[in-house]
Amino acid sequence: MSGKTIVSLIIKWGALICLILLVRSEFSGNKISKTEFDTMQEKVLAEADNSVMQSADNQMIRRLYGLDPSEYEGVSLSYPITNMGAEEILLVKLKEVSQADTVLAAIESRLATQKKSFDGYGAAQTEMLESSIVDHVGNYILFVSAEDPGSVKNVFESAL
């Protein structure tokens, strides 16, 4: 092989490796969104049925999820108006991606509590909880328990 051929191969392989790394970083789920929290919250809640939910204050977020909203860039919780509802939307913008495990564990705990609460008598609520969605993309986490959680998830992902 000539020197030109070797250099050409090195350049081609280097370009291929760079392309692979670029594609991998774009689709890895660690995408840091620059979307402002208020904008995201507005879009997500506009897609939901707000007639069956109410906005939570920081104390209710702590009570239901054990999360301190001051530790995050933004936290929004809409929860059922009545004890017979299972509709819920939690939106969290993390300050640090490392906070994700704490939030995801809080969601898992809340979901388990809700499933246990409705077990045996709330068939519609149990079904809603079973089809709920947790979506974590980079610095945002969304939890949706609703009639159509997929539409809320789609709006969330589009707004990233």
Side-chain angles (χ1 to χ4, degrees):
M1 285 189 154
S2 71
K4 267 185 161 179
T5 306
I6 292 173
V7 170
S8 176
L9 280 173
I10 290 172
I11 291 172
K12 286 178 185 178
W13 278 104
L16 180 62
I17 290 169
C18 287
L19 180 63
I20 290 169
L21 291 174
L22 177 65
V23 168
R24 184 173 163 230
S25 69
E26 280 300 311
F27 295 104
S28 68
N30 291 327
K31 177 181 174 186
I32 302 301
S33 175
K34 294 185 190 316
T35 304
E36 294 294 327
F37 181 77
D38 292 340
T39 302
M40 179 67 80
Q41 179 184 17
E42 182 180 311
K43 290 181 181 200
V44 165
L45 293 180
E47 186 63 24
D49 179 3
N50 293 301
S51 68
V52 295
M53 293 183 287
Q54 59 188 324
S55 294
D57 60 12
N58 288 350
Q59 182 178 354
M60 185 58 73
I61 293 167
R62 283 186 198 95
R63 187 173 141 231
L64 297 179
Y65 284 87
L67 298 173
D68 180 357
S70 68
E71 294 180 5
Y72 303 91
E73 193 165 324
V75 178
S76 169
L77 172 62
S78 294
Y79 67 106
I81 291 173
T82 71
N83 289 338
M84 290 306 299
E87 297 85 356
E88 200 158 307
I89 297 176
L90 177 70
L91 177 66
V92 180
K93 185 172 185 185
L94 308 170
K95 284 184 181 177
E96 301 290 330
V97 177
S98 61
Q99 295 174 305
D101 289 340
T102 300
V103 175
L104 293 170
I107 291 169
E108 187 176 311
S109 176
R110 171 69 175 160
L111 190 53
T113 298
Q114 286 293 82
K115 286 179 181 178
K116 187 175 179 182
S117 294
F118 291 110
D119 187 38
Y121 75 91
Q125 292 87 350
T126 300
E127 185 178 323
M128 188 181 298
L129 292 165
E130 291 294 338
S131 64
S132 65
I133 293 174
V134 177
D135 196 0
H136 172 213
V137 182
N139 58 335
Y140 268 104
I141 297 176
L142 173 71
F143 167 64
V144 184
S145 177
E147 287 294 326
D148 184 12
S151 68
V152 178
K153 176 186 176 189
N154 291 339
V155 168
F156 168 71
E157 290 182 348
S158 296
L160 291 169

